[in-house]
Amino acid sequence: MANPSAVCNGHLHHHHQKQNNLLKSGIYKKNGITKGMKKNGISNGTLYKKTFIEHFEQAPMYVAVLTFLGFGVGTVFGYLRDFMRAWGLEKRNVAAEREQQKDFVPLYQDFENFYTRNLYMRIRDNWNRPICSVPGPQFDLMERVTDDYNWTFRFTGKTIKNVINMGSYNYLGFAETDVNALKTVTIELQKYGTGICSTRQEMGTLDKHVELEKLVAKFLGVEDAMVFGMGFATNSMNIPALVGKGCLILSDELNHTSLVLGARLSGATIRIFKHNNMQSLEKLLRDAIIYGQPRSRRAWRKIIILVEGIYSMEGSIVRLPEIVLLKKKYKAYLYLDEAHSIGAVGATGRGVVEYFGMSPDDVDVLMGTFTKSFGAAGGYIAGKKDLVDFLRTHSHSAVYATSMCPPVAEQIIRAMKCLMGLDGTTQGLQRVRQLGKNTRYFRRRLHEMGFIIYGNDDSPVVPLLLFMPGKIGAFARRMLKKNIGVVVVGFPATPITESRARFCVSAAHTREMLDTVLNALDELGDFLHLKYSRYSKSSHPELYEETRLELED
Amino acid sequence: MDFKSMKNYIYWLYCQFELITCSYLMEPWEKLLFYTFNVIMLVMVLYTAYIFVPVHISTAFQFFLHLFGSQHENTVSIVK
């Protein structure tokens, strides 16, 4: 294969060189800062080998005012409709208590239910859209209409064909139906069937699982791994096994619900630090060590930091080098959830650990899912062999949950082998490179057009800010009319004033598809007046100041 | 030609108004209610302005005249 950057074992060659340099010149981490590492002209004493550029531009003031105005009008009309429903002037379609329960504690009076009834219902047709094909770069949508303003839907029977898919987490394009690609999967399907009918600890461990776990461990460069049938359950069922009462969990502000649920189920004390803010995290760590547990002042049994690789609503990447330094200094553990970043970032797709050029030994618990980049379902936890052996016996998922079914395991195996280059082609690496190119192109064009985009320049998740509630519905509906499917998000998944449209760039998108989407966005941005960015064409992204961590050892 | 682009511009402004005030999301009878309310408030404000603004301006003008006028007299007496 005429590939200039000689790929061996799926690791890029210069990665080995870097490690050799480190040992050869006897440069070890002194005071936590690697000295004398001149690479591509980056100066000494920096933790980040490439520039870390993130954007979180604030909207102009008039946008915030108008957003509140829109919500105000919506709220007034919400109260009006609630009044009409309560007094019988309008047919009641909502959930309500029964007559006998009118004197009980009210169930539907809180803000979330009010919001759902009065605002969400009006634009409900933009979510839960049923698709009827594989969610590749294009898909088919079932057309549905509503006669009573989104309370009920009916299908017309027609399908909208070849809608460009900007919403699926199909980062590497492995969600495909190509017969050649799925050959091994069909063989395994005919060999094993579809059901497992047992849990891991009873009779549900197949040779496929062992093979997959060994492959995952090799892919990530760790000692051992364990796979689970569901990605959400991987977090929520394994965090309680790792921490308990008397332990401290330091969790990022914007962590996913699975992490929050797992943390709450465990019974440990949870403290939240500001999103990606290392000063906030360091302060919490210092307070935890100085003051100990709340009343007894005893030392915490364990301090664990929960972060994600890429945050899916912001598109920001975790500041891993600084967190690893902090955890080593204060002797805490690190749990990294790479649901969106495994396969999507890094030179060979091995996630944020590779993206920052760090070793996987720095992270204690590596967790990830196969739903996003591998086109399958399920999750894994990887790390040292002791940790994984412990989880095999103590995890709720291992004891009670059905294990991953064999065709899905085979899909992950073939996707991972493709990524590592073990199937004899460079297709995996090409996919990762294509994703990187697509991401950079898409983000650059959107910045040039003048939209407000959040997140890191290298993350394939691109949130485009809409702000006003009226524009959420208009944006999604008009994009569908132009045959592009997007995901719009509002409250409660995001702060109430920052509703956004979230694009997920895929390696399977061609340049033409991206150009179609970008032209449609350009037009729509002018029509709906979405180009709020105050930095025009030659944009100067706000470079984050490198935090100077003074570490005295 | 000019009328067409003017009409398009006004239509675009109307769309912006609809989006910003969430009237894009409302059912027709709610829109009617909202627009009626807005129009009535606007008419009332304009009517009030029409009646009171001239009176206010002339009162303010007289006040300032009196203020500067009395100052003028004071300076004259001191000089004298």
Side-chain angles (χ1 to χ4, degrees), chain A residues 269-286:
Chain A
T269 313
I270 308 175
R271 300 219 176 122
I272 313 234
F273 63 92
K274 296 210 187 67
H275 177 59
N276 241 358
N277 188 329
M278 296 302 113
Q279 285 83 9
S280 172
L281 176 61
E282 180 160 23
K283 179 170 191 312
L284 282 181
L285 276 166
R286 291 179 86 95

Side-chain angles (χ1 to χ4, degrees), chain A residues 148-169:
Chain A
D148 50 358
Y149 300 103
N150 292 343
W151 287 100
T152 55
F153 293 106
R154 67 183 165 83
F155 295 108
T156 58
K158 286 200 293 201
T159 51
I160 310 175
K161 293 231 175 276
N162 288 337
V163 179
I164 298 183
N165 186 358
M166 295 305 292
S168 292
Y169 308 131

Side-chain angles (χ1 to χ4, degrees), chain A residues 412-463:
Chain A
I412 304 169
I413 290 177
R414 76 120 186 141
M416 223 173 240
K417 282 195 177 146
C418 179
L419 257 188
M420 292 166 77
L422 293 176
D423 61 345
T425 66
T426 51
Q427 206 197 62
L429 210 54
Q430 278 170 2
R431 283 179 195 247
V432 176
R433 294 234 173 96
Q434 182 66 33
L435 176 65
K437 267 199 294 203
N438 282 355
T439 307
R440 279 190 295 274
Y441 175 67
F442 198 67
R443 275 179 175 269
R444 180 176 59 84
R445 286 287 303 272
L446 283 177
H447 272 299
E448 279 169 13
M449 282 187 207
F451 291 102
I452 294 189
I453 310 283
Y454 274 6
N456 195 304
D457 274 346
D458 287 316
S459 99
V461 178
V462 187

Side-chain angles (χ1 to χ4, degrees), chain A residues 390-418:
Chain A
F390 177 81
L391 280 178
R392 282 190 213 279
T393 39
H394 288 87
S395 158
H396 296 274
S397 200
V399 183
Y400 295 109
T402 322
S403 43
M404 192 186 273
C405 76
V408 172
E410 180 55 38
Q411 157 72 8
I412 304 169
I413 290 177
R414 76 120 186 141
M416 223 173 240
K417 282 195 177 146
C418 179

Side-chain angles (χ1 to χ4, degrees), chain A residues 348-367:
Chain A
T348 56
R350 281 165 166 79
V352 278
V353 173
E354 187 189 26
Y355 176 75
F356 288 112
M358 312 185 66
S359 122
D361 297 327
D362 291 331
V363 184
D364 301 292
V365 189
L366 282 158
M367 177 266 171

